[in-house]
Amino acid sequence: MAERTSFLRFVRRQINSPWLACIPLTALIIVVWNAAAIAQDVEINEVTVEVVNESVATLQGYLNTIWILVASVLVIFMNAGFGMLETGLCRQKNAVNILTKNLIVFALATVAYWALGFSFMFGAGDSPNAFIGLGGFFLSGESATYGLDPFPGGLPVTVFFLFQVAFSATAATIVSGAVAERIKFNEFLIFSVLLVGIAYPITGHWTWGGGWLSSISILGAEGFSDFAGSTVVHSVGGWAALVGASLLGPRIGKFVDGRPGALPGHNMGFAMLGCLILWIGWFGFNPGSELAANENCAYIAVTTNLAASAGGITATFTSWLKDGKPDLSMVINGILAGLVGITAGCAGVDYWGAIIIGGVAGILVVYSVAFFDSIKIDDPVGAISVHLVNGVWGTLAVGLFATEGGLFYGGGVGQLIIQFIGVAATGAFTVAFSLIVWTILKQIMGIRVSKEEELIGLDISEHGMQAYTGFVTEVDSYGSSTPMTE
């Protein structure tokens, strides 16, 4: 009992103690301190999230830049494919000339596009123009000058230029194949510079640079659609090639008594290798046109590959049925036709659409080559049939097979009409420009080598060298040069 009384006395003394007042104060300090700590954590988290977001955006920007740089290299390497293909499908006495053209054209295209073409195509200037771009000549503008967002949201101007200049050179290289074995070297170079520096970027501006075709609207559909350049690149080169080949006339010996004769290429191994290089390069051409490193790139690569494969298959069996034997040159051109055909719609069609587009392209190229032979337009490598005919087909096919807006997918005819207008307008301008330039060159300087130069071969007459030094060759009455055994 005494112990209990002592304990109660002790508790009373503690309750009456001044230290009791510290309890609420301590509780208040703890609450405030905890709130401050929580607020600090929230502030730190917000800053951290912002920093992380900026880092992710910067990393994505670097990935986009690296991918487009790689894609640019793949497209540039396609020049090797064009060179091998054209050389193999032509005669050996013109091999040096063809290889030289394909090499120097890229160098000339780079300088011409740097000085003028890039600005004509993408330059915005102070007041954007629906017909032609202006501003930022010689690559002197900032991102906004060329319609790009600042890095990392947009690509650096440098890598965007590199990718686009690779495309521009392709248009000029297409012309080389159609006018091969009889064009003067100097005049071809002049035409190439003017095409890349002026004509190609103007029509390209209409579609890719914010020009009038990109904003045209019909029946609810809006904007001419050419994702990677079936029209912007390939049919432009094809139209220029058609005009040039028409004005040049056929090679000596190509038509005998009004009927097309065979002037076979000298190395089908070169031609096959060139086709394969081009096929691989197209994985930079089409997926790179996404202009970003994302999941769509793989999808575009698959549609591209399906169309190429379908084109090769249908061309093989079409030529087999038509001529009795499978023709390697038609297999090659069928694959390339499928690639050209899918280029406009590779990002917007499904897998079945890609197969159909490529398959039709393979059939078209076989009959197109025969058609141009029938009207006596000599195209040694089938460039017009591959790039013009199937560039047009692939562009129109967007209006049919696009999963968003295509006629076969419930989109109506609006997009198809816009596609037709884009094809017609681009073709008309390119034909008019090419006709003027080729005609002026023909009248002032002449565009075709002499009969003697053509018979002996452009390697000797234009370059003073041979591709196969040490081999004894024989030249027939039509100028076909074949190896002989010493």
Side-chain angles (χ1 to χ4, degrees):
M1 189 67 179
E3 292 178 357
R4 182 179 177 185
T5 303
S6 299
F7 175 74
L8 292 173
R9 234 186 253 115
F10 172 78
V11 171
R12 277 194 222 93
R13 280 198 302 268
Q14 295 304 318
I15 291 174
N16 294 328
S17 172
W19 291 102
L20 190 63
C22 294
I23 295 176
L25 180 61
T26 303
L28 180 62
I29 292 173
I30 291 172
V31 171
V32 172
W33 182 274
N34 188 57
I38 293 173
Q40 185 179 24
D41 287 343
V42 171
E43 182 179 354
I44 291 173
N45 289 338
E46 288 177 351
V47 172
T48 302
V49 168
E50 184 177 352
V51 170
V52 169
N53 287 339
E54 289 179 358
S55 299
V56 170
T58 302
L59 178 60
Q60 183 64 51
Y62 286 140
L63 289 174
N64 293 342
T65 301
I66 292 170
W67 160 235
I68 300 306
L69 180 61
V70 171
S72 301
V73 173
L74 285 171
V75 179
I76 291 170
F77 190 57
M78 289 173 70
N79 286 281
F82 281 118
M84 296 293 286
L85 176 69
E86 186 181 339
T87 302
L89 292 178
C90 292
R91 292 165 292 180
Q92 71 177 56
K93 65 180 180 177
N94 299 310
V96 169
N97 176 260
I98 291 167
L99 293 170
T100 306
K101 285 191 301 178
N102 279 271
L103 190 59
I104 194 62
V105 156
F106 179 69
L108 290 168
T110 297
V111 175
Y113 199 69
W114 165 72
L116 298 175
F118 189 54
S119 298
F120 286 159
M121 194 161 178
F122 294 103
D126 295 329
S127 55
N129 190 300
F131 179 78
I132 187 172
L134 294 170
F137 295 99
F138 298 97
L139 209 61
S140 60
E142 301 296 330
S143 298
T145 307
Y146 308 106
L148 299 171
D149 294 329
F151 182 85
L155 291 170
V157 173
T158 47
V159 76
F160 184 65
F161 166 79
L162 190 64
F163 187 66
Q164 294 299 333
V165 78
F167 274 52
S168 72
T170 299
T173 305
I174 291 167
V175 180
S176 174
V179 299
E181 299 200 288
R182 73 269 200 207
I183 188 77
K184 285 185 176 181
F185 187 71
N186 292 344
E187 286 66 23
F188 171 76
L189 296 187
I190 293 171
F191 180 83
S192 298
V193 169
L194 295 175
L195 180 69
V196 174
I198 300 175
Y200 166 80
I202 289 177
T203 53
H205 176 76
W206 297 352
T207 302
W208 290 345
W212 67 276
L213 279 178
S214 65
S215 58
I216 190 172
S217 180
I218 295 177
L219 299 176
E222 186 168 350
F224 177 61
S225 179
D226 187 1
F227 183 79
S230 288
T231 283
V232 173
V233 179
H234 294 282
S235 75
V236 165
W239 287 116
L242 176 61
V243 176
S246 300
L247 291 177
L248 269 175
R251 292 166 293 171
I252 297 171
K254 174 62 180 176
F255 297 98
V256 180
D257 297 328
R259 300 181 63 183
L263 295 176
H266 82 282
N267 195 322
M268 295 307 292
F270 279 6
M272 189 283 291
L273 181 59
C275 174
L276 188 58
I277 292 172
L278 289 169
W279 194 344
I280 293 170
W282 236 284
F283 291 114
F285 206 100
N286 285 2
S289 295
E290 179 72 9
L291 300 179
N294 58 37
E295 68 278 8
N296 291 336
C297 294
Y299 181 84
I300 294 167
V302 172
T303 58
T304 298
N305 203 46
L306 286 173
S309 301
I313 292 169
T314 56
T316 299
F317 286 98
T318 301
S319 66
W320 200 341
L321 292 171
K322 176 177 174 291
D323 302 320
K325 292 183 182 296
D327 184 339
L328 175 56
S329 66
M330 287 302 174
V331 178
I332 291 170
N333 280 338
I335 291 169
L336 298 178
L339 289 166
V340 171
I342 196 60
T343 295
C346 55
V349 301
D350 60 21
Y351 297 141
W352 279 106
I355 287 284
I356 295 171
I357 291 171
V360 171
I363 297 170
L364 283 175
V365 76
V366 174
Y367 287 102
S368 176
V369 168
F371 168 75
F372 285 112
D373 277 347
S374 71
I375 60 174
K376 296 184 174 57
I377 292 180
D378 184 13
D379 178 1
V381 303
I384 300 169
S385 298
V386 169
H387 298 279
L388 171 56
V389 172
N390 285 289
V392 170
W393 156 241
T395 307
L396 295 177
V398 173
L400 300 173
F401 294 99
T403 55
E404 296 183 9
L407 178 62
F408 296 157
Y409 290 80
V413 298
Q415 189 64 54
L416 183 60
I417 294 172
I418 291 175
Q419 296 301 103
F420 181 82
I421 292 172
V423 166
T426 302
F429 181 88
T430 305
V431 166
F433 179 90
S434 300
L435 187 61
I436 292 170
V437 174
W438 281 125
T439 301
I440 291 174
L441 290 174
K442 185 176 183 179
Q443 295 299 321
I444 296 178
M445 307 168 67
I447 58 176
R448 181 163 181 157
V449 299
S450 67
K451 179 179 179 180
E452 292 74 18
E453 290 173 325
E454 185 175 345
L455 289 175
I456 197 173
L458 303 188
D459 289 0
I460 295 297
S461 63
E462 291 273 13
H463 305 279
M465 63 174 65
Q466 292 178 304
Y468 305 98
T469 303
F471 289 87
V472 178
T473 58
E474 178 183 42
V475 179
D476 64 20
S477 59
Y478 297 130
S480 297
S481 182
T482 55
M484 293 179 57
T485 302
E486 293 188 269

